[in-house]
Amino acid sequence: MNMGSQKVAILVDSGTDLPADFVGKGRVFTAPVQYPPKIREPAVPGAASGPFLHKPERESPPAPPSASGLFTRLAEEDYEAVLIITSSSRLSSAYDELGILASREKRLRCRMVDTKSVSVGAGLQAILAARLLDMGEGMDEVLAKLEFTIRSTKTFLCPVKACEASKGGFPGGLSIRLGFL
């Protein structure tokens, strides 16, 4: 875990999709995400009454006491640097909130990574970062490789229902075209 002259931790938000046995062991830690009260809009635009749908604007930020407590814990565990990897800054405010906490942190060198992806893509970036650090790469080299993979790859998720739809398996003949590797 001690890379050259730095012991580097990886901090992800709880919306990041990682195997359960990957988090909390070694260098990977999770900042919990709170979800806001439901934002309700009419199902039909302009409707005065009728059914309402839950439609959150954005994922809410990590709980500040828990997230700031993580920075304290990392400093107490002799980490010198933290690589903060979150879901897209355009989809989740976790990037902004963890960035604010990181900017106030004086004990640790903090660097932010905006994966420009959601849970699965962010998880893949966190796994790559951990493997590179475990191989002895420094934080700056890891950041450069993460930035390259973020620019040059796209992560797509095929939910079961979308896979069924691609085969024409939905009632009413709904069918969509998907690319499979």
Side-chain angles (χ1 to χ4, degrees):
M1 280 186 241
N2 206 353
M3 300 293 96
S5 64
Q6 282 195 322
K7 185 175 174 185
V8 181
I10 296 172
L11 180 61
V12 297
D13 64 85
S14 60
T16 300
D17 195 5
L18 287 169
D21 62 347
F22 192 77
V23 177
K25 294 181 181 174
R27 68 172 77 248
V28 182
F29 301 87
T30 302
V33 173
Q34 293 180 337
Y35 292 92
K38 292 183 178 181
I39 299 168
R40 297 187 178 268
E41 292 182 358
V44 178
S49 62
F52 287 81
L53 300 175
H54 171 64
K55 184 181 176 189
E57 293 285 324
R58 287 172 61 152
E59 198 177 285
S60 74
S66 298
S68 61
L70 278 170
F71 286 101
T72 299
R73 176 182 168 192
L74 295 174
E76 289 172 354
E77 290 184 17
D78 295 326
Y79 282 96
E80 301 169 63
V82 182
L83 191 55
I84 302 166
I85 301 174
T86 69
S87 297
S88 173
S89 63
R90 297 182 74 158
L91 299 173
S92 169
S93 62
Y95 178 89
D96 295 331
E97 294 298 321
L98 288 172
I100 290 168
L101 291 172
S103 70
R104 296 176 184 158
E105 181 55 50
K106 303 298 180 213
R107 299 162 292 183
L108 301 163
R109 178 178 172 224
C110 299
R111 299 292 299 271
M112 301 291 298
V113 176
D114 181 354
T115 63
K116 297 179 176 56
S117 187
V118 292
S119 61
V120 173
L124 291 172
Q125 294 297 326
I127 291 168
L128 175 61
R131 288 187 177 162
L132 292 170
L133 289 166
D134 288 344
M135 291 172 29
E137 301 259 350
M139 191 158 79
D140 292 331
E141 291 82 13
V142 171
L143 280 167
K145 289 179 180 179
L146 291 177
E147 288 170 7
F148 173 78
T149 60
I150 291 166
R151 278 192 320 271
S152 61
T153 61
K154 301 289 181 230
T155 304
F156 296 94
L157 178 63
C158 181
V160 174
K161 294 292 183 189
C163 292
E164 290 173 14
S166 72
K167 298 172 188 166
F170 279 162
L174 173 66
S175 182
I176 59 174
R177 180 179 288 192
L178 297 172
F180 294 93
L181 298 177

